[in-house]
Amino acid sequence: MKYKIFTYGCQMNIHDSEVIAGVLEKAGYEPSETLKDADVVVLNTCCIRENAERKVYGRIAQLKYFKQRNPNFTIAISGCMVQQPHVVEYISKKLPYVDILFSIKNVNKLPELIEECRRIDSITAALAGNSDLAENLEVKHTSSIKAWVPITYGCNNYCTYCVVPYVRGREVSRLPEDILREVKTLADEGFMEINLLGQNVNSYGKNLDKPFDFPELLRRINEIEGIERIRFITSHPKDLSDELVLAMKECEKVCEHIHLPVQSGSSRILKKMNRHYSREHYIELVNKLKDAIPNISITTDIIVGFPGETEEDFLDTLDLVKTIEFDSAFTFIYSKRIGTPAAQMEDQIDDEIKKERLKRLMELQDSITKRKNNELVGTVQEVLVEGESKNDAQKLSGRTRTNKLVNFVGPKELIGHLADVKITESHTWCLIGEAVN
Ligand code: 5AD
Ligand code: SF4
């Protein structure tokens, strides 16, 4: 029996797919390169914006063809989309050739669910998540160099545009001993980089019985031998403490990069978004980070066209982007999500205005990214070499500590090691270089 997984959305989903693959392989399944040879297809879905959902529906429509040719072909859907009742209702009524809907919290039951749906001919749903955090699940790592380690699940922040708290549930922190044991095992297996994952890593530990916070977690992981680099996503500005800045500064393995979504440069809009910080507070935080950690790279997420956003609010965003000079930014058009407070707001923005604002924002950020990358030409950067470059097999590929992608000329033996790379060229999306010594 062979399986194929399609993953949509964030890093947490990418990691969840590593767990889905691990569970299926433990049950005897093998990976399939093509859809044609697969017996089971799993879609691990995302619903953060409308176009994420549109892609999933497109894929489901394509799968109908495979189902018609082979009735034993099994289609299973998990991830954030199936945590929305209206999506479950739609799939059940309109897409009856889908076999299984399951909560990712029930991933360990997936092999049983596949068996079951082969016996009975109706959609098998396992959506009520078991409330315990699943520990010790098999993980099929997609890299042997860097690993993803969830530290919290869910989100308590209820930003008014965001569907995540409704689909991923309330924030739960994993126990520090479980995280530390997992990182230790990964270090023993040879992983060099650890990426800690959570919707808001800065609030890690708030619901634990014994006090243990995120800066403390970083310090403990920093002591684990074998690990060379520590990264974390995502940080919420409202919970970024002075202790965290100090821990980042003092822990030599914690990389000089922070992804700190600002969402808007207008304090008025930030308030409507329920973000709990102002433009001034954000600038102050960034200054603290830049003072403590020279050369830190700062990346962000920005939404344009949130309900009620005026041209003046948008100009505040452009102005903030110029003030901070982000290394790069993910920029999004506001997308109305069913069940969120912002979807009920009356002053929704015209699609044309949203598109035009996105274009202006992207042009500005691209010029800043390009200039900042260009400043690195001529410098030597420490790169963790992950493999051959995707676009050019003659080159190797890896990231700087500041999380910039570098494609460079060097011997293949460098894969899996730290290498010094001289930067010779810069583009918006990557740097080009050559290994030194
Ligand atoms: N519309 C557009 N962008 C959104 N994001 C979250 N919800 C929405 C939405 N409804 C963006 C935010 C968040 C990132 C992961 O996705 O910028 O930080
Ligand atoms: Fe969504 Fe806000 Fe939670 Fe991020 S912090 S997942 S944007 S609700």
Side-chain angles (χ1 to χ4, degrees), residues 173-190:
S173 298
R174 286 178 71 195
L175 293 173
E177 53 269 33
D178 288 335
I179 298 170
L180 293 167
R181 193 183 317 114
E182 183 173 337
V183 175
K184 174 85 179 55
T185 306
L186 291 164
D188 292 345
E189 288 170 7

Side-chain angles (χ1 to χ4, degrees), residues 154-172:
C155 183
N156 284 351
N157 294 314
Y158 293 94
C159 302
T160 53
Y161 51 80
C162 186
V163 74
V164 169
Y166 306 93
V167 295
R168 286 213 173 245
R170 297 199 59 83
E171 182 183 278
V172 186

Side-chain angles (χ1 to χ4, degrees), residues 11 14-15 17-19 21 139-149 182 185-187 189-195 227 229 231 384-388 390 397-399 415-417:
Q11 207 54 56
I14 295 175
H15 176 71
S17 289
E18 295 187 323
V19 178
V139 179
K140 187 191 175 195
H141 293 283
T142 40
S143 155
S144 55
I145 298 159
K146 50 188 200 179
W148 283 271
V149 177
E182 183 173 337
T185 306
L186 291 164
E189 288 170 7
F191 285 89
M192 294 177 78
E193 181 178 301
I194 296 298
N195 289 260
I227 299 302
R229 289 179 169 192
R231 301 186 187 279
L384 176 57
V385 190
E386 291 170 33
E388 286 174 5
K390 284 205 183 85
S397 184
R399 287 188 182 262
I415 294 173
H417 297 276

Side-chain angles (χ1 to χ4, degrees), residues 137-335:
L137 286 173
E138 299 296 315
V139 179
K140 187 191 175 195
H141 293 283
T142 40
S143 155
S144 55
I145 298 159
K146 50 188 200 179
W148 283 271
V149 177
I151 63 168
T152 66
Y153 297 103
C155 183
N156 284 351
N157 294 314
Y158 293 94
C159 302
T160 53
Y161 51 80
C162 186
V163 74
V164 169
Y166 306 93
V167 295
R168 286 213 173 245
R170 297 199 59 83
E171 182 183 278
V172 186
S173 298
R174 286 178 71 195
L175 293 173
E177 53 269 33
D178 288 335
I179 298 170
L180 293 167
R181 193 183 317 114
E182 183 173 337
V183 175
K184 174 85 179 55
T185 306
L186 291 164
D188 292 345
E189 288 170 7
F191 285 89
M192 294 177 78
E193 181 178 301
I194 296 298
N195 289 260
L196 304 172
L197 294 179
Q199 305 301 335
N200 174 6
V201 289
N202 302 155
S203 67
Y204 172 78
K206 282 201 177 147
N207 60 334
L208 290 173
D209 294 339
K210 264 193 285 173
F212 202 101
D213 62 10
F214 185 58
E216 177 69 15
L217 187 66
L218 283 183
R219 288 182 190 278
R220 294 288 297 277
I221 295 176
N222 194 58
E223 287 164 9
I224 296 177
E225 218 169 294
I227 299 302
E228 296 285 344
R229 289 179 169 192
I230 305 167
R231 301 186 187 279
F232 51 88
I233 42 168
T234 290
S235 293
H236 194 308
K238 81 177 166 65
D239 296 310
L240 199 158
S241 62
D242 290 348
E243 289 73 40
L244 176 58
V245 179
L246 194 64
M248 287 181 74
K249 177 188 163 98
E250 291 178 354
C251 294
E252 73 285 359
K253 295 177 185 174
V254 173
C255 289
E256 294 77 25
H257 168 232
I258 190 163
H259 186 65
L260 193 62
V262 66
Q263 314 296 2
S264 168
S266 154
S267 295
R268 197 182 72 83
I269 294 294
L270 287 170
K271 194 150 194 199
K272 284 186 81 181
M273 287 176 161
N274 193 32
R275 291 289 290 177
H276 296 281
Y277 56 85
S278 64
R279 168 197 175 89
E280 291 70 31
H281 178 72
Y282 187 91
I283 294 175
E284 198 183 308
L285 274 180
V286 169
N287 287 339
K288 271 188 202 167
L289 285 160
K290 285 181 176 170
D291 286 346
I293 305 151
N295 301 325
I296 188 169
S297 98
I298 299 181
T299 57
T300 200
D301 293 344
I302 301 173
I303 298 174
V304 300
F306 182 83
E309 184 188 73
T310 60
E311 174 66 15
E312 201 181 344
D313 293 317
F314 175 65
L315 288 176
D316 281 347
T317 296
L318 290 184
D319 187 69
L320 182 86
V321 166
K322 279 186 211 149
T323 307
I324 307 271
E325 300 196 309
F326 294 106
D327 288 79
S328 68
F330 294 107
T331 51
F332 307 107
I333 283 183
Y334 167 71
S335 170

